[in-house]
Amino acid sequence: MSNTTTKGARLGTKKLDMQKLLAPMALVILYILFSIVGENFFTWHTAENILQASYYIGFMAFGVTFIIITGGIDLSLGTVMMCSALLGGYSFKVLHLPMYVSILVTIFTAVAFGFLNGILIAKLKLPPFIATLGTQMMSAGLGSILTKVQAQTWPPVTDPTGGWFKKIFVRTKLFDFLPIGAVWLLVFFIIAALILHKTKLGRYFYAIGSNEEAARLSGINVDNWKIAAYTLSGFFVGMAALFYAAVYSTITPGVGQGQEMHGITGVIIGGTSMAGGSGTMVGSLIGVFIMSTLKTGLSACGLQAQWQTFFTGLVVIGAVLLDIYRTKTASKVKRS
Amino acid sequence: MGETILKMHGIQKYFPGVHALDNAQLEVRSGEVMALVGENGAGKSTLMKILTGIYPKDGGIIEYFGEEIELNGPKDAQSRGICIVHQELNLMQHLTVADNIFIGRESSTGLFLNQAEQYRKTQELLDKLHLSIDPKAVVRTLSVAKQQMVEIAKALSYNNTKLLILDEPSAVLTDTEIDDLFTFVEQLKSTGVGIIYISHRMDELQRITDRITVMRDGQYVGVLETAETEIAEVVRMMVGRTIYEEPKTQSAVPADAPIILECEHLNSIDVKDVSFHLKKGEILGFSGLMGAGRTETMRLLCGADPMTSGVIKLNGKPVRIKTPRDAVKHGIGYLSEDRKRYGLCLNLSITDNTVMPSLGTLFKGLFINDRAADRYSEEYIEKIKTKTPSTKTRVGSLSGGNQQKVVISKWLLRDCDILIFDEPTRGIDVGAKSEIYKLMNQLAAEGKSIIMISSDMPELLRMSDRIVVMCEGRKTGELDISEATQEKIMTFATNR
């Protein structure tokens, strides 16, 4: 082999490192920009708002990161989250179950849907897009059926039996300044990152997303690991449901479609490839923060929700274009 | 010899951080086959990409029919009559031959396609080229060789093709198919087309080419008249060193070596009643034409495809192999002919690829010790001399030979006793080839048992201790290396 190839490889790696810095840089630049042009943006209160807006989207994004890295997709995130939160609220309010059972019902519902997605995709070989489109509708319907299309309200902080729910998830500040929700998010980010980057499980996700057939021929039980990815994602969706309930209290049946796109968008902005096999957990965290900063910042500039949607769309296209451009230049050098 | 069609000289090309072409040159006359040879990374592809207008050149002159030209993109090159047939087939598998050939310039009446006209034109073209292919056949149903010829026909369907570039056309073909290809190339020559022929197979050069241009490290090394040249000379020019290869005349395996693997009456859709055995430390060659069922047999052995009936015995004991996972557990490692598709995760690092099948055995519990993983991959990089800047390098950026070594490392680390090499040197340059051979011999000497599928007959005769020949899904013969000749193998392979 000539050293041309070697040089090309080194160059490729350098480009990759640049890409890693791109998302954090974008976040910092956005933050500074809004601090200059936005009203009252550069305050701790605003930062708290940004964090709070990131909770449930963050958990969804962590979950779906696993899935996207295996080369799959989950369109049922949003409705499964809503369905879980509905059933949890229903368990407490209508069935009068204890709060901890309701929390378990919420998590269990999401995990069950994740597992179902996994079975449909890995064992019954449905394309992920189709399988999760189906479960998206099923979960939306199920939530409405079981609650008889009644909105479910999770108890307020003052509730004697269930009030602690909000306290432990959102209504507490650690050391009087750090919102407890941010601590939860951070802890689960670390857990998700450890799973993805430091365990066999994570390594198999990358392998499957990178080249499923090669992984299979290497003796990896591809089907089981895929089910694991969807089930694990289900758990994170369950966490997202708890935070959605804790922040918004009232869950209305029939909504939730479209929420999955917030989670997926965060992952994409964070540099994870939809083709599978590459991406990082920290990227997804930053991607979610970029979206929340955009949302909070634009409203600090007096722009309404429709502008947030518009700009988020712009950021998605920009982020993916950059990624395509980078891959192209890297492979051009490689082929020489 | 005809007039000079093409003269490229002093060609320069820079990529960020790489001087890819430095003073490259090439000359082609009409009605001649000019071979372009060099190791991987020598700059052949880059030079061809400049000639076909894909890359702009950074310096030098292209003279075409005595006129200096600048090429503005692939369309420009095509309209001047420069056509390339790529190594990888670029046909649309689900469309017909005619659709493929006339894609982008379909015959139509008004808004609608004129299928009949298109079939007629395709038939004319195929007749002119003496190809017996049905224009209405769906490409997927054709053999690889036929598909290759459709590609060439497509290139020649542009009326004015004066210069045809064939990039390793024989890489996917078996010997008889290559014969067909060469007959075809001879016919083309007589029409006055100039042909640039890129190949890694040295024996082909003497059969088909008139002159040979050698490149090394992006530079022009020299041009040789094929008729007056020894192959050893070409190889020496390519690698800048002498490669020594000793042919095998008798089996290196002692007669009393234990039998490690027995396959009895294996059956599947593509495999019919195949039985064979493998001894410890043996290199068992598998020969046959394309589609003879060799790869399919191996895929049964490594659990990749379902077996309808048959028994696999390891060390005398029957084992159940239903999934690749079972095969790996029993120490059977499969090195696919298509590394990129079946062997490697190209965008993962060398370490990730190397330790992948072994994660379960190397690390107890859930977590991976990255430093330990790196040490394992480091160990094998040194042991089998993989050339790479680091263990973290993406496998996709390595050359073919080094990618193959990563696959080998992966199975060695998993402690596989049986290694199945499916076309181990396909698409690998001469220097790396001899390294792979050396490595295989070394592994066999260390007691690993090897099955090698190859369509390259000299390779089989050089490496194998015993050769099994297949034809149409059946085993048609078995030869000890002491009695094997190309003729005998061919007789079995064609089942005459």
Side-chain angles (χ1 to χ4, degrees):
Chain A
M1 189 188 73
S2 73
N3 57 2
T4 354
T5 334
T6 333
K7 273 184 205 157
R10 268 198 221 113
L11 264 162
T13 339
K14 258 183 203 158
K15 281 263 164 57
L16 224 71
D17 292 339
M18 275 293 292
Q19 168 77 7
K20 271 183 195 156
L21 285 176
L22 222 57
M25 262 160 44
L27 178 60
V28 172
I29 289 168
L30 264 184
Y31 193 80
I32 294 173
L33 199 73
F34 283 128
S35 299
I36 297 167
V37 300
E39 251 173 81
N40 291 330
F41 184 84
F42 192 65
T43 59
W44 181 242
H45 180 71
T46 312
E48 274 180 36
N49 278 344
I50 292 175
L51 285 173
Q52 185 157 341
S54 308
Y55 294 164
Y56 78 91
I57 298 179
F59 280 101
M60 277 200 296
F62 297 162
V64 80
T65 303
F66 294 116
I67 291 177
I68 293 179
I69 282 178
T70 65
I73 187 72
D74 187 352
L75 300 179
S76 70
L77 294 176
T79 52
V80 167
M81 176 179 80
M82 288 306 192
C83 177
S84 312
L86 271 175
L87 295 191
Y90 183 78
S91 307
F92 183 79
K93 208 177 137 201
V94 181
L95 303 179
H96 303 293
L97 293 170
M99 179 48 83
Y100 73 90
V101 178
S102 307
I103 291 176
L104 288 178
V105 166
T106 310
I107 300 270
F108 176 79
T109 308
V111 169
F113 268 107
F115 183 70
L116 174 64
N117 281 335
I119 296 285
L120 291 175
I121 291 158
K123 292 288 182 197
L124 304 179
K125 310 292 174 200
L126 281 177
F129 189 94
I130 307 293
T132 60
L133 184 69
T135 51
Q136 179 192 62
M137 293 172 172
M138 281 168 62
S139 55
L142 190 71
S144 302
I145 296 166
L146 291 179
T147 58
K148 306 192 178 59
V149 209
Q150 298 293 308
Q152 301 298 319
T153 308
W154 286 67
V157 186
T158 49
D159 189 283
T161 53
W164 58 272
F165 161 72
K166 282 208 170 184
K167 272 193 200 140
I168 65 159
F169 285 126
V170 287
R171 290 294 177 81
T172 310
K173 285 193 180 175
L174 219 58
F175 313 118
D176 271 345
F177 81 99
L178 194 61
I180 188 81
V183 177
W184 280 97
L185 190 70
L186 193 70
V187 167
F188 275 86
F189 160 71
I190 292 170
I191 293 173
L194 279 177
I195 294 174
L196 185 61
H197 299 297
K198 293 288 167 193
T199 65
K200 294 174 193 172
L201 195 65
R203 211 55 57 94
Y204 291 146
F205 292 164
Y206 279 103
I208 292 168
S210 176
N211 189 342
E212 188 172 329
E213 193 57 18
R216 190 172 83 96
L217 291 173
S218 296
I220 291 169
N221 196 330
V222 171
D223 289 359
N224 287 3
W225 296 118
K226 269 192 185 172
I227 295 173
Y230 283 89
T231 312
L232 185 61
S233 171
F235 171 77
F236 279 90
V237 172
M239 290 301 292
L242 291 179
F243 278 90
Y244 190 91
V247 174
Y248 298 101
S249 299
T250 304
I251 324 290
T252 318
V255 298
Q257 248 137 343
Q259 293 287 8
E260 68 278 355
M261 283 306 158
H262 294 298
I264 295 170
T265 306
V267 176
I268 294 172
I269 294 175
T272 296
S273 155
M274 290 298 284
S278 77
T280 59
M281 203 44 90
V282 72
S284 300
L285 180 70
I286 288 170
V288 170
F289 280 153
I290 286 178
M291 288 203 305
S292 311
T293 306
L294 210 58
K295 194 170 164 187
T296 319
L298 288 171
S299 70
C301 298
L303 292 172
Q304 298 309 305
Q306 58 271 31
W307 285 96
Q308 298 159 18
T309 317
F310 179 81
F311 277 108
T312 311
L314 216 58
V315 169
V316 170
I317 291 174
V320 175
L321 272 182
L322 256 173
D323 190 56
I324 291 171
Y325 176 75
R326 177 191 60 87
T327 327
K328 253 192 186 165
T329 37
S331 57
K332 244 186 202 166
V333 175
K334 191 187 79 194
R335 269 192 257 116
S336 62
Chain B
M1 200 54 68
E3 60 169 329
T4 302
I5 299 179
L6 174 80
K7 214 173 190 177
M8 299 173 89
H9 46 98
I11 304 290
Q12 306 282 343
K13 182 69 193 171
Y14 300 89
F15 291 113
V18 185
H19 194 171
L21 288 181
D22 180 13
N23 219 0
Q25 75 179 63
L26 180 66
E27 189 195 270
V28 185
R29 298 178 192 142
S30 95
E32 90 166 336
V33 177
M34 169 61 94
L36 181 60
V37 300
E39 290 191 276
N40 285 347
K44 297 169 304 205
S45 308
T46 312
L47 187 64
M48 288 306 103
K49 279 184 178 151
I50 288 174
L51 180 57
T52 49
I54 294 169
Y55 291 157
K57 60 180 164 37
D58 295 330
I61 291 165
I62 303 174
E63 278 177 46
Y64 191 57
F65 287 101
E67 231 177 281
E68 190 178 334
I69 57 162
E70 290 292 331
L71 291 166
N72 305 311
K75 278 229 154 132
D76 187 24
Q78 208 167 59
S79 68
R80 288 175 193 273
I82 302 171
C83 278
I84 181 160
V85 176
H86 290 283
Q87 183 180 1
E88 273 97 25
L89 297 173
N90 289 312
L91 296 172
M92 281 143 287
Q93 294 285 324
H94 299 270
L95 302 188
T96 63
V97 171
D99 286 340
N100 268 287
I101 290 178
F102 287 101
I103 190 86
R105 47 202 173 111
E106 295 82 358
S107 314
S108 59
T109 24
L111 267 179
F112 298 96
L113 287 176
N114 187 344
Q115 297 272 29
E117 163 84 2
Q118 198 156 301
Y119 289 136
R120 195 184 52 72
K121 273 160 69 179
T122 308
Q123 191 65 58
E124 257 171 37
L125 176 71
L126 295 174
D127 287 346
K128 207 173 81 188
L129 300 170
H130 304 281
L131 291 175
S132 58
I133 300 174
D134 179 7
K136 291 180 189 172
V138 175
V139 164
R140 198 170 34 139
T141 63
L142 300 176
S143 69
V144 182
K146 287 262 168 75
Q147 291 187 21
Q148 182 104 48
M149 289 178 191
V150 172
E151 279 266 27
I152 298 174
K154 182 179 170 185
L156 293 170
S157 69
Y158 296 88
N159 292 328
N160 58 345
T161 298
K162 302 281 188 302
L163 186 60
L164 181 68
I165 304 161
L166 299 175
D167 188 0
E168 288 204 53
S170 61
V172 291
L173 305 182
T174 55
D175 283 0
T176 42
E177 291 169 335
I178 290 172
D179 288 342
D180 289 348
L181 175 71
F182 285 175
T183 320
F184 184 43
V185 169
E186 287 292 344
Q187 283 168 16
L188 280 182
K189 273 171 68 171
S190 61
T191 64
V193 173
I195 296 168
I196 299 172
Y197 191 91
I198 300 177
S199 179
H200 277 128
R201 291 194 186 173
M202 290 300 130
D203 51 330
E204 287 178 358
L205 300 184
Q206 282 181 317
R207 283 179 59 192
I208 192 72
T209 68
D210 300 300
R211 290 191 297 162
I212 303 171
T213 299
V214 185
M215 289 183 74
R216 186 169 72 225
D217 297 336
Q219 291 173 332
Y220 166 82
V221 181
V223 64
L224 302 160
E225 292 283 339
T226 309
E228 302 159 9
T229 310
E230 291 278 326
I231 287 304
E233 169 77 1
V234 180
V235 174
R236 197 186 50 72
M237 281 170 77
M238 275 170 63
V239 296
R241 60 183 184 273
T242 322
I243 289 174
Y244 176 68
E245 275 161 5
E246 195 181 359
K248 212 178 244 183
T249 48
Q250 69 182 61
S251 173
V253 188
D256 60 346
I259 289 174
I260 183 163
L261 169 80
E262 287 163 276
C263 292
E264 292 167 6
H265 310 291
L266 302 187
N267 277 293
S268 77
I269 306 165
D270 304 302
V271 179
K272 286 158 201 135
D273 198 34
V274 172
S275 304
F276 64 94
H277 69 274
L278 176 67
K279 287 180 181 172
K280 190 174 164 66
E282 183 178 42
I283 299 180
L284 176 64
F286 263 72
S287 186
L289 302 177
M290 191 73 56
R294 296 169 297 169
T295 299
E296 289 75 7
T297 307
M298 292 312 136
R299 281 179 68 89
L300 297 184
L301 191 50
C302 65
D305 290 336
M307 188 158 73
T308 48
S309 70
V311 180
I312 297 171
K313 283 185 191 168
L314 281 172
N315 297 314
K317 275 181 239 135
V319 291
R320 261 163 54 99
I321 295 179
K322 293 191 81 174
T323 63
R325 196 174 163 71
D326 298 333
V328 173
K329 261 192 216 152
H330 289 299
I332 300 175
Y334 176 62
L335 293 87
S336 167
E337 58 183 321
D338 196 341
R339 289 181 292 278
K340 290 178 183 171
R341 210 157 125 208
Y342 298 117
L344 293 164
C345 296
L346 291 178
N347 64 352
L348 300 186
S349 70
I350 293 185
T351 300
D352 283 343
N353 274 285
T354 308
V355 300
M356 197 195 299
S358 315
L359 282 177
T361 47
L362 289 181
F363 304 107
K364 300 284 165 242
L366 193 61
F367 289 91
I368 295 168
N369 180 342
D370 279 318
R371 232 176 286 158
D374 264 338
R375 270 200 305 277
Y376 287 119
S377 91
E378 190 92 41
E379 184 187 325
Y380 281 94
I381 287 174
E382 274 164 32
K383 185 173 179 208
I384 67 177
K385 301 191 184 64
T386 313
K387 277 181 211 143
T388 168
S390 92
T391 51
K392 294 183 177 60
T393 305
R394 282 174 57 250
V395 167
S397 62
L398 299 177
S399 69
N402 284 305
Q403 286 184 357
Q404 186 67 289
K405 286 183 178 179
V406 174
V407 188
I408 297 174
S409 311
K410 150 175 150 175
W411 293 124
L412 291 182
L413 178 61
R414 187 62 178 77
D415 220 7
C416 286
D417 289 322
I418 299 172
L419 295 170
I420 304 170
F421 286 80
D422 197 345
E423 304 283 1
T425 59
R426 184 165 133 194
I428 289 178
D429 62 67
V430 182
K433 251 186 201 180
S434 79
E435 274 185 64
I436 300 275
Y437 293 152
K438 225 183 276 170
L439 188 62
M440 287 171 74
N441 280 328
Q442 184 192 331
L443 291 172
E446 284 169 12
K448 305 276 184 201
S449 308
I450 294 175
I451 294 175
M452 180 177 81
I453 298 181
S454 177
S455 297
D456 184 345
M457 209 108 56
E459 171 175 290
L460 269 181
L461 292 169
R462 181 180 307 134
M463 296 299 300
S464 316
D465 297 307
R466 199 153 50 88
I467 296 172
V468 168
V469 192
M470 289 186 69
C471 177
E472 289 166 0
R474 291 172 200 283
K475 175 176 157 185
T476 47
E478 188 177 319
L479 294 158
D480 191 84
I481 192 64
S482 55
E483 49 174 355
T485 61
Q486 295 210 14
E487 291 73 27
K488 280 186 190 164
I489 294 175
M490 253 351 260
T491 312
F492 285 132
T494 51
N495 208 6
R496 277 186 291 236

